[in-house]
Amino acid sequence: MAKNVVVLGSQWGDEGKGKIVDLLTECVQGVVRFQGGHNAGHTLVVNGEKTILHLLPSGILHKGVECMIGNGVVLSLPELKKEIEVLEQQGVAVRSQLKISGACALVMPYHVALDLARETKRGQRLIGTTGRGIGPAYEDKVARRSIRFTDLLDPEHFSDLLQENLDYHNFMLKNYFMASIFDYTQIYDETLALADNLLPMIADVPLLISAHREKGYSLLFEGAQGTFLDIDHGTYPYVTSSNTTAGSACTGSGLGPRYVDYVLGITKAYTTRVGSGPFPTELTGPLGDALVELGHEFGATTGRKRRCGWFDAVAMKRAAQINSFSGLCMTKMDVLDTFDTIQIAVAYEKGADNFYGRAPVKPIYESMPGWKCSIAGVDSWAKLPDKAKAYLKRIESLLEVPIVMVSTGPDRKHTIQLEPIF
Ligand code: GDP
Ligand code: IMO
Ligand code: MG
């Protein structure tokens, strides 16, 4: 039966969404990215070969699968062109598979400058953004002054919009941030050159989604970032500038909410976060360093070291509520192979039930014995040691959401499928 399945991060990003979307693409005819921009870094490993995607949907390596960039995504044209060219060199026919919504707001060079200038001005209180201009691009969208992909079809109209935007942003850059300003002609020429290259892929994404449905095809909706980086439900202001949670799959693509059949939450077997902001279970000593090293926890976009800590079942319970998870995929189980004891945060002290307040919360932990053997690459439940099974079962009972997939390594094939999703 045809299904629309949403796949998204349930922590602070980098849960392994890319790997799982790539794997599940074998069951669908199309994949849609619905929010975020090239702040995302999604890693796919197929037969040992690694591909990192930032804007392209993670189904792109599957021949013939239609990959769509929905209206909720903020689009950097130079970054998209670069990404397409790298894949084309590897023999992937990106241009025949990719469709881009005309309603995508563009990330322009001045957005990047504003992002960096804002961070500098925040000093100690910096967000730790990826510096890709994502926040300022979404601000323009909400302020109704964005240049959208479709605006490039009419160069005169684009010229007017660019002039208005530059008047405004150059004023801010020069007078408020004391930063360099941008030249109209250079941006105009560069953007229209990129438009010539990319506009052939413009499409009416809601219509395509509807056509897939009429044909009885299945689709995947791929999220970027993670639940607690959501602009509304995350650890504000230490968040990204889009909605990363399940509802965004509809608003960011044009899929009607009644047509979502399944929401798959991706979660690591522990927790990581890049950038500033609250992180109740963070480990700053040798245990945290061990997780960084064993999990190779360095960002796929900026190369920054990720902060690491234990699994936070309190936060995850909130993620399950907000996203209405149908099932969970637990990734990076193999990273815990060598620990004597593994901790799970089951509550916060003083009855706190979230970490949104300004006062830090202190987790109360439950300990589980480690399995102390390698499960790297294990692809069946039967081959998992009992203690690893017990860890998964405990988390399942704490969250009251079934774990339907377990990942034991970066490669597509290092995966245990417990229940069918399609
Ligand atoms: P995404 O942003 O959610 O797509 O995740 P990233 O690609 O940024 O980060 C996940 C990292 O973990 C990547 O380097 C993956 O190759 C790797 N990875 C994914 N699943 C597993 C797993 O089960 N075990 C191990 N050891 N690595 C994994
Ligand atoms: P994927 O899709 C992890 C974080 C940044 C920063 C905050 C705001 O690979 O999981 P932004 O540049 O979006 O304004 O930065 O959000 N962040 C991510 N952290 N994974 C990501 O994407 C992220 N995208 C943004 O580190 O804390
Ligand atoms: Mg990532």
Side-chain angles (χ1 to χ4, degrees), residues 13-19 40-45 50 58 222 225 266 268 294-300 306 330-335 406-411 414:
D14 304 325
E15 296 91 348
K17 300 174 289 295
K19 168 187 161 156
H42 296 172
T43 314
L44 285 46
V45 183
K50 192 193 238 189
S58 296
E222 176 183 13
Q225 291 81 51
I266 313 294
K268 278 182 190 172
L294 294 164
H296 306 291
E297 294 296 354
F298 295 91
R306 296 177 182 142
M330 175 83 86
T331 61
K332 303 195 94 161
M333 271 293 279
D334 54 303
V335 174
V406 179
S407 171
T408 58
D411 204 284
H414 301 151

Side-chain angles (χ1 to χ4, degrees), residues 75-78 80 100-108 110 146-162 187-200 202:
L75 197 64
S76 159
L77 299 183
L80 179 62
I100 307 165
S101 166
C104 288
L106 299 185
V107 181
M108 300 297 284
Y110 45 82
S146 275
I147 301 170
R148 306 202 300 173
F149 192 43
T150 186
D151 294 322
L152 305 180
L153 289 168
D154 178 350
E156 223 169 286
H157 173 57
F158 165 58
S159 169
D160 292 345
L161 283 176
L162 179 62
I187 298 187
Y188 179 82
D189 291 345
E190 284 174 5
T191 307
L192 283 189
L194 287 160
D196 280 346
N197 187 280
L198 299 168
L199 271 177
I202 196 168

Side-chain angles (χ1 to χ4, degrees), residues 44-64:
L44 285 46
V45 183
V46 184
N47 297 325
E49 205 164 308
K50 192 193 238 189
T51 306
I52 298 180
L53 301 174
H54 301 285
L55 277 166
L56 292 174
S58 296
I60 196 74
L61 299 185
H62 294 254
K63 259 199 193 113

Side-chain angles (χ1 to χ4, degrees), residues 87-393:
L87 283 192
E88 279 177 338
Q89 274 161 20
Q90 295 169 17
V92 183
V94 182
R95 282 166 205 273
S96 62
Q97 284 176 239
L98 185 63
K99 300 285 182 290
I100 307 165
S101 166
C104 288
L106 299 185
V107 181
M108 300 297 284
Y110 45 82
H111 291 135
V112 178
L114 285 163
D115 192 359
L116 300 175
R118 292 237 171 93
E119 284 285 88
T120 306
K121 202 159 184 93
R122 285 182 74 96
Q124 292 287 315
R125 291 168 42 255
L126 91 172
I127 308 286
T129 71
T130 59
R132 301 298 195 259
I134 304 299
Y138 276 114
E139 284 171 40
D140 275 1
K141 173 174 169 168
V142 176
R144 296 169 291 194
R145 66 172 160 254
S146 275
I147 301 170
R148 306 202 300 173
F149 192 43
T150 186
D151 294 322
L152 305 180
L153 289 168
D154 178 350
E156 223 169 286
H157 173 57
F158 165 58
S159 169
D160 292 345
L161 283 176
L162 179 62
Q163 195 67 66
E164 275 171 38
N165 272 279
L166 273 181
D167 283 352
Y168 179 73
H169 290 307
N170 273 342
F171 180 85
M172 290 299 285
L173 282 166
K174 183 169 166 208
N175 299 299
Y176 185 70
F177 292 112
M178 313 301 164
S180 315
I181 60 167
F182 285 83
D183 176 57
Y184 163 85
T185 311
Q186 191 182 345
I187 298 187
Y188 179 82
D189 291 345
E190 284 174 5
T191 307
L192 283 189
L194 287 160
D196 280 346
N197 187 280
L198 299 168
L199 271 177
M201 289 174 277
I202 196 168
D204 183 342
V205 170
L207 199 65
L208 292 176
I209 291 173
S210 165
H212 275 268
R213 186 179 158 71
E214 276 164 21
K215 287 185 198 145
Y217 289 171
S218 292
L219 291 175
L220 280 173
F221 292 80
E222 176 183 13
Q225 291 81 51
T227 296
F228 298 111
L229 289 171
D230 183 285
I231 185 75
D232 289 293
H233 297 289
T235 47
Y236 191 91
Y238 299 101
V239 291
T240 191
S241 297
S242 63
N243 285 110
T244 59
T245 41
S248 189
C250 294
T251 53
S253 72
L255 174 75
R258 279 198 299 122
Y259 302 141
V260 174
D261 297 294
Y262 195 102
V263 183
L264 179 67
I266 313 294
T267 172
K268 278 182 190 172
Y270 49 99
T271 314
T272 66
R273 149 159 230 180
V274 198
S276 322
F279 181 175
T281 61
E282 182 169 15
L283 294 163
T284 47
L287 282 172
D289 293 341
L291 284 171
V292 172
E293 195 170 317
L294 294 164
H296 306 291
E297 294 296 354
F298 295 91
T301 294
T302 58
R304 286 179 293 173
K305 187 161 131 178
R306 296 177 182 142
R307 299 157 65 193
C308 292
W310 295 121
F311 189 85
D312 187 340
V314 187
M316 275 299 300
K317 219 167 159 59
R318 171 63 71 103
Q321 281 164 3
I322 296 170
N323 294 299
S324 64
F325 288 141
S326 317
L328 283 174
C329 168
M330 175 83 86
T331 61
K332 303 195 94 161
M333 271 293 279
D334 54 303
V335 174
L336 300 180
D337 280 352
T338 53
F339 289 86
D340 295 322
T341 304
I342 301 168
Q343 313 250 59
I344 304 173
V346 293
Y348 297 146
E349 277 185 0
K350 300 188 186 140
D353 62 0
N354 68 57
F355 42 74
Y356 301 103
R358 285 160 67 90
V361 294
K362 207 162 170 257
I364 299 169
Y365 288 108
E366 190 175 291
S367 293
M368 306 270 312
W371 43 95
K372 306 279 285 172
C373 63
S374 172
I375 60 165
V378 163
D379 59 4
S380 77
W381 178 256
K383 288 188 216 149
L384 278 182
D386 286 344
K387 285 177 179 149
K389 287 180 184 162
Y391 182 66
L392 291 164
K393 285 284 157 207

